[in-house]
Amino acid sequence: MGSIIPFGRCDIFSNNIKSLFWMSNVTAPICYSKVSFYNIIKYNISTIIWKDNIVENYLKQIPRNTELKTFFGPSAEEIVKDINLENKTCLITGANGSIGLELTRCLSLRDCNVLMACRNIYKATRDTKDFCEKSERLSFYDLNLASLLSVKECANRIRRNEKKIDIVILNAATFGIPWSLTEDTLETTFQVNCLSQYYLLLLLSTTLAPDARVVFTSAESHRNIKWPNGDMPIPNVDDLSLPKYEYTSIKSYNISKLCGILLVHYLSDHWSSTERSVFCAHPGSFIRTGLCRNWWFYEMLYFAMLPFTKSIVQGASTIIYCATSPELKGSTAAYFKDCKPCDESDLAKNFCMSYRVHDLIIEILRERVTDFDNILSDFKSTSSKTV
């Protein structure tokens, strides 16, 4: 019999159960009592949560690309089947997991050179060997988004090897993890999902093609963040990188996705005199990707939702549409869902807030990155068509 997960894990269970009600805007049917809830967890739930739990292991054995329906839209391969991407180069973060891997496969099928930026190059090489029909189109770059130093080293290697990048898909994400700080003293979910990927984009801004497209993988749950819209100078650092006492995994995830949309609006304004474009793409809700792997409860929840949501190959379709569709030439700053433009939340459309979030991220990076002003200067130079 395996070891029981320490009772301290109940803090995570408690926070995430509260978060589920908060994320879905559903009022809990009973009053939440911390003491009684912990007692329930201790004597009923924790007895079945084994480190080698049979149920958890069974759920993880079910392929994440299990497809139970065909009525949730086209696959990514269908979206890109008639598009010629020869001589194009695409950078994808989180490229070796679930949707990222499907994006890699479909783009390389169309003769696009794909730069796979991922934390585990060995796993990426192994996964793509049989999954991607044109693996010769792939290049691998080690990237740990929980480290700003790793981001800079990755960007330096890419700049040395690549003359230009035509497409950037900022797809990497983490979810469902306990509160923790990175080596850069920032809350992990915010740094991985937003700040580090934006930093990578800043570092590569001068390598982007004149007509480059940037796509942020987003989420409909960004709508659940309700910052005030008054004249107060918000948000501040603690509104983005949550302190432990304010943290739930879903809240932090939603903040990171809201910030991504706000940064899209900032970038569209920054590049308004160029041919570069930037989009947000919502792949779908409750898609059973690797996001749910960090806690058995999410594994069960996402498995239960399989008949009611998109498969991975369908979830990749909106992202690849934003990255490649000729129909979007001349467009920018749009939020897409089901391969169609969709209104984001009022807060996500707040132009002043987009500048505030950008400036705040710049402040955070300046405090932690040497020679950051030189990086920022290079980025500012990309607002001209002459780049």
Side-chain angles (χ1 to χ4, degrees):
M1 183 177 291
S3 302
I4 297 178
I5 290 180
F7 179 58
R9 181 73 177 178
C10 294
D11 289 328
I12 303 168
F13 187 92
S14 171
N15 282 339
N16 283 302
I17 288 293
K18 289 189 292 182
S19 300
L20 284 172
F21 289 124
W22 178 75
M23 178 181 71
S24 58
N25 293 322
V26 174
T27 302
I30 58 173
C31 294
Y32 176 81
S33 170
K34 185 173 183 180
V35 175
S36 62
F37 193 74
Y38 278 5
N39 287 338
I40 293 172
I41 301 304
K42 182 176 181 180
Y43 295 111
N44 294 281
I45 303 297
S46 64
T47 56
I48 65 168
I49 307 176
W50 308 104
K51 186 175 181 180
D52 298 316
N53 183 274
I54 295 175
V55 174
E56 181 176 4
N57 286 339
Y58 172 76
L59 290 172
K60 289 185 176 180
Q61 293 305 312
I62 300 173
R64 297 194 183 278
N65 61 354
T66 299
E67 194 165 348
L68 302 181
K69 66 281 160 185
T70 59
F71 49 85
F72 283 121
S75 67
E77 188 173 345
E78 290 174 307
I79 292 291
V80 80
K81 64 180 180 180
D82 296 321
I83 299 175
N84 181 12
L85 297 175
E86 191 175 2
N87 299 322
K88 299 288 186 180
T89 298
C90 176
L91 169 66
I92 307 176
T93 62
N96 68 318
S98 303
I99 287 178
L101 191 58
E102 180 65 14
L103 291 169
T104 298
R105 186 185 74 84
C106 293
L107 290 168
S108 60
L109 271 178
R110 307 313 306 160
D111 295 323
C112 182
N113 299 311
V114 180
L115 315 180
M116 299 182 68
C118 40
R119 186 172 52 181
N120 189 334
I121 289 181
Y122 170 77
K123 182 178 182 298
T125 305
R126 183 193 64 196
D127 291 347
T128 56
K129 184 177 180 181
D130 297 321
F131 186 76
C132 295
E133 294 89 331
K134 294 188 176 183
S135 57
E136 70 277 5
R137 290 283 181 181
L138 311 181
S139 301
F140 302 90
Y141 290 92
D142 180 48
L143 174 63
N144 176 11
L145 291 167
S147 166
L148 294 177
L149 178 60
S150 173
V151 173
K152 189 170 186 178
E153 290 174 347
C154 177
N156 289 339
R157 288 192 295 272
I158 292 174
R159 283 197 300 252
R160 285 195 299 266
N161 296 337
E162 308 297 333
K163 294 181 179 179
K164 70 177 178 67
I165 299 175
D166 302 280
I167 304 167
V168 177
I169 301 177
L170 301 178
N171 173 71
T174 189
F175 171 68
I177 61 175
W179 181 88
S180 63
L181 293 178
T182 66
E183 64 183 47
D184 303 299
T185 67
L186 294 167
E187 190 275 310
T188 302
T189 301
F190 167 68
Q191 178 167 340
V192 169
N193 292 7
C194 179
L195 182 132
S196 285
Q197 296 187 76
Y198 193 58
Y199 179 42
L200 179 65
L201 185 63
L202 296 179
L203 288 166
L204 296 174
S205 59
T206 56
T207 312
L208 297 181
D211 59 346
R213 284 194 195 181
V214 177
V215 181
F216 287 68
T217 299
S218 190
E220 277 287 273
S221 58
H222 79 273
R223 302 180 190 279
N224 295 301
I225 302 300
K226 308 293 184 183
W227 292 330
N229 279 314
D231 296 327
M232 296 175 61
I234 57 168
N236 57 43
V237 174
D238 284 347
D239 292 316
L240 305 187
S241 177
L242 293 176
K244 187 174 184 178
Y245 65 88
E246 289 188 6
Y247 177 86
T248 65
S249 62
I250 293 176
K251 182 179 180 181
S252 182
Y253 178 82
N254 292 345
I255 288 172
S256 71
K257 295 304 178 182
L258 171 64
C259 288
I261 301 174
L262 289 166
L263 292 172
V264 162
H265 288 292
Y266 173 83
L267 288 171
S268 69
D269 186 60
H270 177 74
W271 287 331
S272 60
S273 63
T274 75
E275 296 180 12
R276 294 188 181 93
S277 55
V278 55
F279 301 99
C280 272
H282 169 59
S285 300
F286 291 103
I287 299 176
R288 191 168 179 264
T289 67
L291 276 182
C292 61
R293 70 182 179 273
N294 292 310
W295 193 32
W296 66 270
F297 181 82
Y298 287 134
E299 287 278 3
M300 291 182 64
L301 176 63
Y302 278 60
F303 175 70
M305 293 298 293
L306 272 176
F308 312 106
T309 189
K310 295 180 180 181
S311 65
I312 287 172
V313 298
Q314 293 166 325
S317 62
T318 300
I319 301 171
I320 210 166
Y321 174 80
C322 291
T324 64
S325 176
E327 298 173 1
L328 299 183
K329 185 175 178 59
S331 301
T332 191
Y335 175 81
F336 278 79
K337 174 184 175 183
D338 299 326
C339 298
K340 298 176 182 177
C342 174
D343 281 340
E344 60 270 52
S345 70
D346 290 340
L347 181 58
K349 290 187 287 189
N350 188 309
F351 190 70
C352 293
M353 191 69 74
S354 71
Y355 266 78
R356 173 57 185 160
V357 166
H358 166 79
D359 291 345
L360 184 55
I361 287 176
I362 294 303
E363 292 174 18
I364 293 171
L365 289 171
R366 183 178 280 116
E367 292 175 356
R368 291 164 173 81
V369 176
T370 57
D371 298 325
F372 182 72
D373 286 334
N374 292 332
I375 298 169
L376 188 60
S377 177
D378 289 342
F379 168 70
K380 288 180 177 179
S381 71
T382 64
S383 62
S384 169
K385 279 189 176 182
T386 59
V387 175

